[in-house]
Amino acid sequence: MLIDHYQMNGEAIRSEYTLIQTAMMTSYTDYKYKDMLKTIITKYKDLTPGLHYLAAVALTLPISTVDCERGFSAVSRIKTNLRNRLSEKILRCLLFISVEGPPIEKFDFKAASDAWAMTKTRRLQLD
Protein backbone atom coordinates (compact mmCIF):
# COMPACT_ATOMS: atom_id res chain seq x y z
CA MET A 1 0.00 0.00 0.00
CA LEU A 2 2.82 2.41 0.82
CA ILE A 3 4.53 1.72 -2.50
CA ASP A 4 1.34 2.62 -4.35
CA HIS A 5 0.58 5.63 -2.16
CA TYR A 6 4.05 7.16 -2.59
CA GLN A 7 4.19 6.11 -6.26
CA MET A 8 7.47 4.28 -5.87
CA ASN A 9 9.00 1.65 -8.14
CA GLY A 10 7.57 -1.57 -6.74
CA GLU A 11 10.07 -3.76 -8.57
CA ALA A 12 13.02 -1.86 -7.08
CA ILE A 13 11.57 -2.09 -3.56
CA ARG A 14 10.95 -5.82 -3.95
CA SER A 15 14.50 -6.39 -5.14
CA GLU A 16 15.83 -4.40 -2.17
CA TYR A 17 13.70 -6.53 0.15
CA THR A 18 14.96 -9.74 -1.46
CA LEU A 19 18.52 -8.47 -1.00
CA ILE A 20 18.23 -8.13 2.77
CA GLN A 21 15.50 -10.71 3.44
CA THR A 22 17.89 -13.55 4.19
CA ALA A 23 20.03 -11.42 6.50
CA MET A 24 17.00 -10.12 8.34
CA MET A 25 15.37 -13.53 8.77
CA THR A 26 18.50 -15.31 10.00
CA SER A 27 19.88 -12.57 12.23
CA TYR A 28 16.66 -11.23 13.72
CA THR A 29 14.38 -14.20 14.31
CA ASP A 30 13.04 -12.95 17.65
CA TYR A 31 12.66 -9.28 16.65
CA LYS A 32 9.31 -7.62 16.45
CA TYR A 33 8.07 -5.75 13.38
CA LYS A 34 9.08 -2.35 14.82
CA ASP A 35 12.59 -3.59 15.63
CA MET A 36 13.04 -4.91 12.10
CA LEU A 37 12.02 -1.55 10.64
CA LYS A 38 14.50 0.23 12.93
CA THR A 39 17.22 -2.17 11.79
CA ILE A 40 16.46 -1.42 8.14
CA ILE A 41 16.74 2.31 8.90
CA THR A 42 20.01 2.06 10.82
CA LYS A 43 21.98 -0.78 9.21
CA TYR A 44 20.71 -1.01 5.63
CA LYS A 45 20.18 2.66 4.79
CA ASP A 46 22.76 2.83 2.00
CA LEU A 47 22.04 -0.65 0.65
CA THR A 48 18.26 -0.20 0.39
CA PRO A 49 17.28 3.48 0.02
CA GLY A 50 13.70 2.81 -1.10
CA LEU A 51 13.05 0.31 1.66
CA HIS A 52 14.71 2.70 4.11
CA TYR A 53 12.23 5.41 3.15
CA LEU A 54 9.24 3.09 3.48
CA ALA A 55 10.45 1.83 6.87
CA ALA A 56 10.77 5.42 8.12
CA VAL A 57 7.25 6.18 6.91
CA ALA A 58 5.86 3.01 8.49
CA LEU A 59 7.41 3.89 11.85
CA THR A 60 5.79 7.31 11.87
CA LEU A 61 2.30 6.17 10.95
CA PRO A 62 -0.04 5.88 13.92
CA ILE A 63 -1.51 2.43 14.30
CA SER A 64 -4.69 3.71 15.92
CA THR A 65 -6.62 6.90 16.54
CA VAL A 66 -6.20 6.75 20.32
CA ASP A 67 -3.80 9.70 20.46
CA CYS A 68 -6.12 11.87 18.34
CA GLU A 69 -9.12 10.96 20.47
CA ARG A 70 -7.13 11.68 23.64
CA GLY A 71 -6.22 15.09 22.23
CA PHE A 72 -9.84 15.90 21.38
CA SER A 73 -10.91 14.92 24.90
CA ALA A 74 -8.19 17.11 26.41
CA VAL A 75 -9.31 20.09 24.30
CA SER A 76 -12.89 19.53 25.48
CA ARG A 77 -11.73 19.56 29.11
CA ILE A 78 -9.61 22.69 28.68
CA LYS A 79 -11.70 24.84 26.35
CA THR A 80 -15.02 25.09 28.15
CA ASN A 81 -17.82 27.61 27.61
CA LEU A 82 -16.29 29.84 30.29
CA ARG A 83 -12.83 29.66 28.68
CA ASN A 84 -13.84 30.03 25.04
CA ARG A 85 -11.60 33.06 24.40
CA LEU A 86 -8.28 31.36 25.09
CA SER A 87 -5.65 32.32 22.57
CA GLU A 88 -4.24 29.60 20.35
CA LYS A 89 -0.85 29.83 22.07
CA ILE A 90 -2.30 29.44 25.58
CA LEU A 91 -4.59 26.61 24.47
CA ARG A 92 -1.65 24.81 22.85
CA CYS A 93 0.46 25.17 26.01
CA LEU A 94 -2.36 23.97 28.27
CA LEU A 95 -3.02 21.05 25.94
CA PHE A 96 0.65 20.10 25.94
CA ILE A 97 0.74 20.18 29.74
CA SER A 98 -2.46 18.14 29.97
CA VAL A 99 -1.31 15.42 27.58
CA GLU A 100 2.45 15.30 28.20
CA GLY A 101 2.83 16.85 31.64
CA PRO A 102 3.40 15.12 34.96
CA PRO A 103 0.46 13.64 36.86
CA ILE A 104 -1.26 16.19 39.08
CA GLU A 105 -0.16 14.27 42.19
CA LYS A 106 3.51 14.82 41.30
CA PHE A 107 3.26 18.48 40.24
CA ASP A 108 5.09 20.93 42.51
CA PHE A 109 2.68 23.86 42.81
CA LYS A 110 4.99 25.79 45.15
CA ALA A 111 7.88 25.69 42.66
CA ALA A 112 5.57 26.74 39.81
CA SER A 113 4.19 29.61 41.88
CA ASP A 114 7.69 30.75 42.82
CA ALA A 115 8.87 30.60 39.20
CA TRP A 116 5.84 32.58 38.05
CA ALA A 117 6.36 35.19 40.78
CA MET A 118 10.01 35.66 39.75
CA THR A 119 9.31 36.27 36.04
CA LYS A 120 8.52 39.97 36.45
CA THR A 121 7.44 42.52 39.03
CA ARG A 122 3.88 42.03 40.11
CA ARG A 123 1.56 44.72 41.49
CA LEU A 124 0.83 42.73 44.64
CA GLN A 125 3.60 41.56 46.92
CA LEU A 126 2.71 38.26 48.55
CA ASP A 127 4.67 37.26 51.62
Side-chain angles (χ1 to χ4, degrees):
M1 289 178 63
L2 291 176
I3 292 171
D4 293 337
H5 179 76
Y6 289 102
Q7 300 174 351
M8 299 179 77
N9 183 349
E11 248 347 274
I13 301 295
R14 285 182 193 87
S15 67
E16 289 178 8
Y17 177 74
T18 304
L19 185 65
I20 66 164
Q21 182 179 15
T22 307
M24 292 292 288
M25 295 304 168
T26 56
S27 302
Y28 305 104
T29 55
D30 60 339
Y31 270 44
K32 294 182 171 75
Y33 176 73
K34 185 177 180 179
D35 296 330
M36 292 179 76
L37 291 175
K38 286 181 179 179
T39 302
I40 290 171
I41 289 174
T42 56
K43 291 188 177 182
Y44 299 106
K45 179 180 180 177
D46 297 329
L47 187 61
T48 59
L51 199 56
H52 170 266
Y53 179 79
L54 290 178
V57 168
L59 282 173
T60 60
L61 292 174
I63 56 172
S64 71
T65 61
V66 172
D67 291 329
C68 294
E69 298 296 332
R70 189 174 294 131
F72 290 137
S73 296
V75 168
S76 297
R77 282 192 313 271
I78 294 168
K79 191 171 183 179
T80 63
N81 287 339
L82 296 174
R83 300 174 84 188
N84 65 356
R85 296 187 57 121
L86 287 174
S87 70
E88 181 183 338
K89 179 182 176 186
I90 297 296
L91 180 61
R92 191 178 12 179
C93 291
L94 291 172
L95 185 61
F96 182 78
I97 292 168
S98 174
V99 173
E100 303 292 334
I104 195 78
E105 300 84 26
K106 294 184 179 182
F107 186 75
D108 186 0
F109 289 97
K110 174 80 170 102
S113 174
D114 291 343
W116 178 78
M118 299 302 287
T119 56
K120 67 178 185 176
T121 305
R122 307 286 176 199
R123 290 186 217 160
L124 290 175
Q125 293 296 327
L126 300 175
D127 293 323

mmCIF file of all heavy atoms in Angstrom, residues 74-113:
data_model
loop_
_atom_site.group_PDB
_atom_site.id
_atom_site.type_symbol
_atom_site.label_atom_id
_atom_site.label_comp_id
_atom_site.label_asym_id
_atom_site.label_seq_id
_atom_site.Cartn_x
_atom_site.Cartn_y
_atom_site.Cartn_z
ATOM 1 N N ALA A 74 -8.913 16.109 25.623
ATOM 2 C CA ALA A 74 -8.187 17.113 26.412
ATOM 3 C C ALA A 74 -8.627 18.518 26.023
ATOM 4 O O ALA A 74 -8.801 19.384 26.893
ATOM 5 C CB ALA A 74 -6.676 16.946 26.215
ATOM 6 N N VAL A 75 -8.837 18.764 24.743
ATOM 7 C CA VAL A 75 -9.308 20.087 24.304
ATOM 8 C C VAL A 75 -10.692 20.362 24.890
ATOM 9 O O VAL A 75 -10.975 21.473 25.355
ATOM 10 C CB VAL A 75 -9.331 20.194 22.768
ATOM 11 C CG1 VAL A 75 -10.081 21.427 22.309
ATOM 12 C CG2 VAL A 75 -7.923 20.212 22.220
ATOM 13 N N SER A 76 -11.551 19.350 24.915
ATOM 14 C CA SER A 76 -12.891 19.534 25.483
ATOM 15 C C SER A 76 -12.828 19.857 26.969
ATOM 16 O O SER A 76 -13.648 20.632 27.470
ATOM 17 C CB SER A 76 -13.732 18.271 25.274
ATOM 18 O OG SER A 76 -13.917 18.025 23.910
ATOM 19 N N ARG A 77 -11.876 19.268 27.691
ATOM 20 C CA ARG A 77 -11.733 19.564 29.113
ATOM 21 C C ARG A 77 -11.186 20.967 29.350
ATOM 22 O O ARG A 77 -11.561 21.644 30.301
ATOM 23 C CB ARG A 77 -10.784 18.553 29.775
ATOM 24 C CG ARG A 77 -11.376 17.226 30.065
ATOM 25 C CD ARG A 77 -10.475 16.402 30.969
ATOM 26 N NE ARG A 77 -9.076 16.388 30.572
ATOM 27 C CZ ARG A 77 -8.540 15.514 29.725
ATOM 28 N NH1 ARG A 77 -9.297 14.586 29.177
ATOM 29 N NH2 ARG A 77 -7.260 15.563 29.433
ATOM 30 N N ILE A 78 -10.279 21.406 28.484
ATOM 31 C CA ILE A 78 -9.609 22.692 28.681
ATOM 32 C C ILE A 78 -10.444 23.856 28.164
ATOM 33 O O ILE A 78 -10.611 24.867 28.843
ATOM 34 C CB ILE A 78 -8.224 22.675 27.994
ATOM 35 C CG1 ILE A 78 -7.312 21.672 28.702
ATOM 36 C CG2 ILE A 78 -7.601 24.052 27.982
ATOM 37 C CD1 ILE A 78 -6.042 21.374 27.950
ATOM 38 N N LYS A 79 -10.971 23.726 26.972
ATOM 39 C CA LYS A 79 -11.700 24.840 26.351
ATOM 40 C C LYS A 79 -13.198 24.680 26.618
ATOM 41 O O LYS A 79 -13.934 24.133 25.821
ATOM 42 C CB LYS A 79 -11.422 24.883 24.852
ATOM 43 C CG LYS A 79 -11.912 26.150 24.204
ATOM 44 C CD LYS A 79 -11.438 26.264 22.790
ATOM 45 C CE LYS A 79 -11.902 27.588 22.215
ATOM 46 N NZ LYS A 79 -11.436 27.755 20.848
ATOM 47 N N THR A 80 -13.612 25.166 27.758
ATOM 48 C CA THR A 80 -15.023 25.093 28.153
ATOM 49 C C THR A 80 -15.743 26.359 27.703
ATOM 50 O O THR A 80 -15.131 27.280 27.146
ATOM 51 C CB THR A 80 -15.128 24.951 29.688
ATOM 52 O OG1 THR A 80 -14.580 26.135 30.282
ATOM 53 C CG2 THR A 80 -14.397 23.722 30.183
ATOM 54 N N ASN A 81 -17.039 26.409 27.973
ATOM 55 C CA ASN A 81 -17.818 27.607 27.611
ATOM 56 C C ASN A 81 -17.302 28.850 28.331
ATOM 57 O O ASN A 81 -17.366 29.951 27.806
ATOM 58 C CB ASN A 81 -19.296 27.403 27.939
ATOM 59 C CG ASN A 81 -19.957 26.437 26.977
ATOM 60 O OD1 ASN A 81 -19.456 26.234 25.871
ATOM 61 N ND2 ASN A 81 -21.043 25.826 27.394
ATOM 62 N N LEU A 82 -16.804 28.691 29.535
ATOM 63 C CA LEU A 82 -16.285 29.835 30.285
ATOM 64 C C LEU A 82 -14.878 30.241 29.835
ATOM 65 O O LEU A 82 -14.425 31.336 30.162
ATOM 66 C CB LEU A 82 -16.275 29.523 31.786
ATOM 67 C CG LEU A 82 -17.654 29.292 32.408
ATOM 68 C CD1 LEU A 82 -17.513 28.853 33.859
ATOM 69 C CD2 LEU A 82 -18.498 30.548 32.293
ATOM 70 N N ARG A 83 -14.196 29.366 29.134
ATOM 71 C CA ARG A 83 -12.834 29.657 28.683
ATOM 72 C C ARG A 83 -12.758 29.647 27.158
ATOM 73 O O ARG A 83 -11.759 29.246 26.577
ATOM 74 C CB ARG A 83 -11.867 28.608 29.237
ATOM 75 C CG ARG A 83 -11.843 28.571 30.752
ATOM 76 C CD ARG A 83 -11.007 27.437 31.235
ATOM 77 N NE ARG A 83 -9.610 27.833 31.266
ATOM 78 C CZ ARG A 83 -8.612 26.996 31.507
ATOM 79 N NH1 ARG A 83 -8.840 25.735 31.724
ATOM 80 N NH2 ARG A 83 -7.374 27.433 31.522
ATOM 81 N N ASN A 84 -13.780 30.114 26.491
ATOM 82 C CA ASN A 84 -13.845 30.034 25.036
ATOM 83 C C ASN A 84 -12.995 31.080 24.317
ATOM 84 O O ASN A 84 -12.867 31.038 23.112
ATOM 85 C CB ASN A 84 -15.294 30.115 24.552
ATOM 86 C CG ASN A 84 -15.920 31.445 24.868
ATOM 87 O OD1 ASN A 84 -15.320 32.289 25.517
ATOM 88 N ND2 ASN A 84 -17.155 31.612 24.423
ATOM 89 N N ARG A 85 -12.411 32.019 25.045
ATOM 90 C CA ARG A 85 -11.598 33.055 24.400
ATOM 91 C C ARG A 85 -10.105 32.854 24.610
ATOM 92 O O ARG A 85 -9.330 33.794 24.485
ATOM 93 C CB ARG A 85 -12.037 34.427 24.902
ATOM 94 C CG ARG A 85 -13.487 34.738 24.484
ATOM 95 C CD ARG A 85 -13.862 36.123 24.825
ATOM 96 N NE ARG A 85 -12.952 37.062 24.208
ATOM 97 C CZ ARG A 85 -13.292 38.015 23.358
ATOM 98 N NH1 ARG A 85 -14.549 38.148 23.035
ATOM 99 N NH2 ARG A 85 -12.406 38.831 22.863
ATOM 100 N N LEU A 86 -9.715 31.647 24.935
ATOM 101 C CA LEU A 86 -8.285 31.360 25.089
ATOM 102 C C LEU A 86 -7.579 31.565 23.759
ATOM 103 O O LEU A 86 -8.083 31.164 22.707
ATOM 104 C CB LEU A 86 -8.067 29.914 25.540
ATOM 105 C CG LEU A 86 -8.413 29.571 26.982
ATOM 106 C CD1 LEU A 86 -8.279 28.070 27.190
ATOM 107 C CD2 LEU A 86 -7.499 30.301 27.935
ATOM 108 N N SER A 87 -6.408 32.169 23.812
ATOM 109 C CA SER A 87 -5.647 32.324 22.571
ATOM 110 C C SER A 87 -5.114 30.958 22.140
ATOM 111 O O SER A 87 -5.037 30.016 22.931
ATOM 112 C CB SER A 87 -4.486 33.299 22.784
ATOM 113 O OG SER A 87 -3.497 32.706 23.615
ATOM 114 N N GLU A 88 -4.745 30.863 20.889
ATOM 115 C CA GLU A 88 -4.236 29.600 20.354
ATOM 116 C C GLU A 88 -2.965 29.173 21.086
ATOM 117 O O GLU A 88 -2.773 27.999 21.392
ATOM 118 C CB GLU A 88 -3.955 29.740 18.861
ATOM 119 C CG GLU A 88 -3.453 28.471 18.228
ATOM 120 C CD GLU A 88 -3.109 28.654 16.764
ATOM 121 O OE1 GLU A 88 -3.605 29.585 16.131
ATOM 122 O OE2 GLU A 88 -2.308 27.840 16.262
ATOM 123 N N LYS A 89 -2.107 30.135 21.388
ATOM 124 C CA LYS A 89 -0.848 29.832 22.074
ATOM 125 C C LYS A 89 -1.104 29.257 23.465
ATOM 126 O O LYS A 89 -0.520 28.249 23.856
ATOM 127 C CB LYS A 89 0.013 31.081 22.170
ATOM 128 C CG LYS A 89 1.320 30.862 22.876
ATOM 129 C CD LYS A 89 2.110 32.147 22.989
ATOM 130 C CE LYS A 89 3.384 31.915 23.786
ATOM 131 N NZ LYS A 89 4.096 33.150 24.033
ATOM 132 N N ILE A 90 -1.982 29.902 24.233
ATOM 133 C CA ILE A 90 -2.296 29.439 25.584
ATOM 134 C C ILE A 90 -2.969 28.069 25.531
ATOM 135 O O ILE A 90 -2.644 27.167 26.308
ATOM 136 C CB ILE A 90 -3.192 30.452 26.325
ATOM 137 C CG1 ILE A 90 -2.459 31.785 26.493
ATOM 138 C CG2 ILE A 90 -3.640 29.909 27.666
ATOM 139 C CD1 ILE A 90 -1.215 31.715 27.351
ATOM 140 N N LEU A 91 -3.904 27.895 24.608
ATOM 141 C CA LEU A 91 -4.590 26.610 24.469
ATOM 142 C C LEU A 91 -3.594 25.503 24.125
ATOM 143 O O LEU A 91 -3.650 24.407 24.689
ATOM 144 C CB LEU A 91 -5.681 26.699 23.398
ATOM 145 C CG LEU A 91 -6.476 25.435 23.155
ATOM 146 C CD1 LEU A 91 -7.224 25.013 24.417
ATOM 147 C CD2 LEU A 91 -7.442 25.636 22.002
ATOM 148 N N ARG A 92 -2.666 25.795 23.226
ATOM 149 C CA ARG A 92 -1.650 24.806 22.846
ATOM 150 C C ARG A 92 -0.767 24.441 24.035
ATOM 151 O O ARG A 92 -0.471 23.268 24.265
ATOM 152 C CB ARG A 92 -0.798 25.355 21.699
ATOM 153 C CG ARG A 92 0.089 24.349 21.050
ATOM 154 C CD ARG A 92 0.825 24.985 19.915
ATOM 155 N NE ARG A 92 0.614 26.428 20.065
ATOM 156 C CZ ARG A 92 1.089 27.369 19.296
ATOM 157 N NH1 ARG A 92 1.795 27.079 18.323
ATOM 158 N NH2 ARG A 92 0.880 28.632 19.496
ATOM 159 N N CYS A 93 -0.369 25.429 24.825
ATOM 160 C CA CYS A 93 0.461 25.170 26.007
ATOM 161 C C CYS A 93 -0.300 24.349 27.048
ATOM 162 O O CYS A 93 0.236 23.386 27.607
ATOM 163 C CB CYS A 93 0.950 26.479 26.624
ATOM 164 S SG CYS A 93 2.148 27.356 25.621
ATOM 165 N N LEU A 94 -1.549 24.715 27.310
ATOM 166 C CA LEU A 94 -2.357 23.967 28.265
ATOM 167 C C LEU A 94 -2.610 22.539 27.794
ATOM 168 O O LEU A 94 -2.607 21.594 28.583
ATOM 169 C CB LEU A 94 -3.682 24.682 28.529
ATOM 170 C CG LEU A 94 -3.595 26.002 29.289
ATOM 171 C CD1 LEU A 94 -4.954 26.685 29.305
ATOM 172 C CD2 LEU A 94 -3.068 25.783 30.686
ATOM 173 N N LEU A 95 -2.817 22.387 26.509
ATOM 174 C CA LEU A 95 -3.022 21.052 25.943
ATOM 175 C C LEU A 95 -1.766 20.211 26.073
ATOM 176 O O LEU A 95 -1.827 19.028 26.435
ATOM 177 C CB LEU A 95 -3.444 21.178 24.480
ATOM 178 C CG LEU A 95 -3.811 19.903 23.765
ATOM 179 C CD1 LEU A 95 -4.992 19.228 24.437
ATOM 180 C CD2 LEU A 95 -4.139 20.195 22.319
ATOM 181 N N PHE A 96 -0.623 20.814 25.805
ATOM 182 C CA PHE A 96 0.652 20.097 25.937
ATOM 183 C C PHE A 96 0.859 19.641 27.381
ATOM 184 O O PHE A 96 1.240 18.499 27.632
ATOM 185 C CB PHE A 96 1.814 20.983 25.488
ATOM 186 C CG PHE A 96 3.140 20.299 25.557
ATOM 187 C CD1 PHE A 96 3.526 19.402 24.580
ATOM 188 C CD2 PHE A 96 3.999 20.528 26.611
ATOM 189 C CE1 PHE A 96 4.747 18.755 24.647
ATOM 190 C CE2 PHE A 96 5.215 19.883 26.705
ATOM 191 C CZ PHE A 96 5.595 18.993 25.704
ATOM 192 N N ILE A 97 0.590 20.527 28.327
ATOM 193 C CA ILE A 97 0.738 20.175 29.740
ATOM 194 C C ILE A 97 -0.226 19.058 30.116
ATOM 195 O O ILE A 97 0.134 18.111 30.808
ATOM 196 C CB ILE A 97 0.515 21.411 30.637
ATOM 197 C CG1 ILE A 97 1.651 22.407 30.444
ATOM 198 C CG2 ILE A 97 0.402 21.005 32.096
ATOM 199 C CD1 ILE A 97 1.392 23.762 31.057
ATOM 200 N N SER A 98 -1.455 19.148 29.634
ATOM 201 C CA SER A 98 -2.464 18.143 29.966
ATOM 202 C C SER A 98 -2.095 16.765 29.431
ATOM 203 O O SER A 98 -2.241 15.759 30.116
ATOM 204 C CB SER A 98 -3.818 18.573 29.397
ATOM 205 O OG SER A 98 -4.778 17.578 29.576
ATOM 206 N N VAL A 99 -1.602 16.714 28.210
ATOM 207 C CA VAL A 99 -1.310 15.420 27.580
ATOM 208 C C VAL A 99 0.070 14.891 27.980
ATOM 209 O O VAL A 99 0.229 13.716 28.299
ATOM 210 C CB VAL A 99 -1.422 15.535 26.042
ATOM 211 C CG1 VAL A 99 -0.973 14.265 25.364
ATOM 212 C CG2 VAL A 99 -2.850 15.870 25.645
ATOM 213 N N GLU A 100 1.082 15.752 27.986
ATOM 214 C CA GLU A 100 2.453 15.303 28.197
ATOM 215 C C GLU A 100 3.004 15.596 29.586
ATOM 216 O O GLU A 100 4.069 15.112 29.936
ATOM 217 C CB GLU A 100 3.385 15.966 27.170
ATOM 218 C CG GLU A 100 3.017 15.714 25.731
ATOM 219 C CD GLU A 100 3.214 14.277 25.309
ATOM 220 O OE1 GLU A 100 4.052 13.580 25.917
ATOM 221 O OE2 GLU A 100 2.530 13.847 24.373
ATOM 222 N N GLY A 101 2.305 16.410 30.353
ATOM 223 C CA GLY A 101 2.826 16.854 31.641
ATOM 224 C C GLY A 101 2.809 15.771 32.707
ATOM 225 O O GLY A 101 2.284 14.681 32.511
ATOM 226 N N PRO A 102 3.377 16.093 33.860
ATOM 227 C CA PRO A 102 3.396 15.119 34.956
ATOM 228 C C PRO A 102 1.991 14.937 35.533
ATOM 229 O O PRO A 102 1.137 15.815 35.382
ATOM 230 C CB PRO A 102 4.323 15.769 35.984
ATOM 231 C CG PRO A 102 4.194 17.224 35.733
ATOM 232 C CD PRO A 102 3.981 17.359 34.253
ATOM 233 N N PRO A 103 1.757 13.817 36.199
ATOM 234 C CA PRO A 103 0.459 13.642 36.864
ATOM 235 C C PRO A 103 0.264 14.731 37.920
ATOM 236 O O PRO A 103 1.230 15.229 38.505
ATOM 237 C CB PRO A 103 0.565 12.269 37.529
ATOM 238 C CG PRO A 103 1.725 11.592 36.888
ATOM 239 C CD PRO A 103 2.617 12.660 36.352
ATOM 240 N N ILE A 104 -0.960 15.094 38.166
ATOM 241 C CA ILE A 104 -1.260 16.188 39.085
ATOM 242 C C ILE A 104 -0.718 15.904 40.482
ATOM 243 O O ILE A 104 -0.341 16.822 41.204
ATOM 244 C CB ILE A 104 -2.795 16.471 39.107
ATOM 245 C CG1 ILE A 104 -3.104 17.802 39.759
ATOM 246 C CG2 ILE A 104 -3.547 15.367 39.802
ATOM 247 C CD1 ILE A 104 -2.862 18.968 38.891
ATOM 248 N N GLU A 105 -0.652 14.632 40.860
ATOM 249 C CA GLU A 105 -0.155 14.274 42.190
ATOM 250 C C GLU A 105 1.334 14.590 42.345
ATOM 251 O O GLU A 105 1.812 14.825 43.446
ATOM 252 C CB GLU A 105 -0.363 12.774 42.465
ATOM 253 C CG GLU A 105 -1.799 12.319 42.422
ATOM 254 C CD GLU A 105 -2.282 12.013 41.009
ATOM 255 O OE1 GLU A 105 -1.459 11.681 40.126
ATOM 256 O OE2 GLU A 105 -3.499 12.128 40.788
ATOM 257 N N LYS A 106 2.068 14.593 41.237
ATOM 258 C CA LYS A 106 3.512 14.823 41.297
ATOM 259 C C LYS A 106 3.914 16.258 40.966
ATOM 260 O O LYS A 106 5.080 16.599 41.006
ATOM 261 C CB LYS A 106 4.228 13.868 40.336
ATOM 262 C CG LYS A 106 4.106 12.423 40.737
ATOM 263 C CD LYS A 106 4.899 11.542 39.824
ATOM 264 C CE LYS A 106 4.780 10.091 40.260
ATOM 265 N NZ LYS A 106 5.577 9.226 39.411
ATOM 266 N N PHE A 107 2.946 17.115 40.626
ATOM 267 C CA PHE A 107 3.259 18.481 40.236
ATOM 268 C C PHE A 107 3.581 19.320 41.474
ATOM 269 O O PHE A 107 2.861 19.278 42.465
ATOM 270 C CB PHE A 107 2.089 19.099 39.472
ATOM 271 C CG PHE A 107 2.393 20.455 38.917
ATOM 272 C CD1 PHE A 107 3.208 20.591 37.806
ATOM 273 C CD2 PHE A 107 1.883 21.599 39.504
ATOM 274 C CE1 PHE A 107 3.497 21.844 37.289
ATOM 275 C CE2 PHE A 107 2.164 22.846 39.003
ATOM 276 C CZ PHE A 107 2.974 22.968 37.894
ATOM 277 N N ASP A 108 4.669 20.087 41.394
ATOM 278 C CA ASP A 108 5.094 20.925 42.512
ATOM 279 C C ASP A 108 4.510 22.335 42.330
ATOM 280 O O ASP A 108 5.076 23.174 41.632
ATOM 281 C CB ASP A 108 6.617 20.973 42.581
ATOM 282 C CG ASP A 108 7.130 21.697 43.810
ATOM 283 O OD1 ASP A 108 6.311 22.165 44.621
ATOM 284 O OD2 ASP A 108 8.370 21.790 43.955
ATOM 285 N N PHE A 109 3.361 22.577 42.946
ATOM 286 C CA PHE A 109 2.681 23.863 42.807
ATOM 287 C C PHE A 109 3.483 25.008 43.410
ATOM 288 O O PHE A 109 3.478 26.118 42.899
ATOM 289 C CB PHE A 109 1.284 23.800 43.434
ATOM 290 C CG PHE A 109 0.322 22.969 42.641
ATOM 291 C CD1 PHE A 109 0.086 21.660 42.982
ATOM 292 C CD2 PHE A 109 -0.329 23.505 41.545
ATOM 293 C CE1 PHE A 109 -0.798 20.886 42.242
ATOM 294 C CE2 PHE A 109 -1.205 22.746 40.797
ATOM 295 C CZ PHE A 109 -1.443 21.432 41.153
ATOM 296 N N LYS A 110 4.181 24.756 44.493
ATOM 297 C CA LYS A 110 4.987 25.789 45.152
ATOM 298 C C LYS A 110 6.101 26.260 44.212
ATOM 299 O O LYS A 110 6.317 27.466 44.055
ATOM 300 C CB LYS A 110 5.576 25.223 46.452
ATOM 301 C CG LYS A 110 6.537 26.144 47.161
ATOM 302 C CD LYS A 110 5.801 27.194 47.968
ATOM 303 C CE LYS A 110 6.754 27.944 48.864
ATOM 304 N NZ LYS A 110 7.122 29.237 48.397
ATOM 305 N N ALA A 111 6.800 25.329 43.590
ATOM 306 C CA ALA A 111 7.881 25.688 42.665
ATOM 307 C C ALA A 111 7.326 26.457 41.463
ATOM 308 O O ALA A 111 7.930 27.429 41.001
ATOM 309 C CB ALA A 111 8.632 24.450 42.206
ATOM 310 N N ALA A 112 6.175 26.042 40.949
ATOM 311 C CA ALA A 112 5.569 26.737 39.811
ATOM 312 C C ALA A 112 5.157 28.143 40.202
ATOM 313 O O ALA A 112 5.359 29.104 39.448
ATOM 314 C CB ALA A 112 4.371 25.948 39.293
ATOM 315 N N SER A 113 4.601 28.287 41.389
ATOM 316 C CA SER A 113 4.192 29.608 41.883
ATOM 317 C C SER A 113 5.402 30.517 42.067
ATOM 318 O O SER A 113 5.373 31.697 41.697
ATOM 319 C CB SER A 113 3.437 29.442 43.201
ATOM 320 O OG SER A 113 3.150 30.687 43.754
#
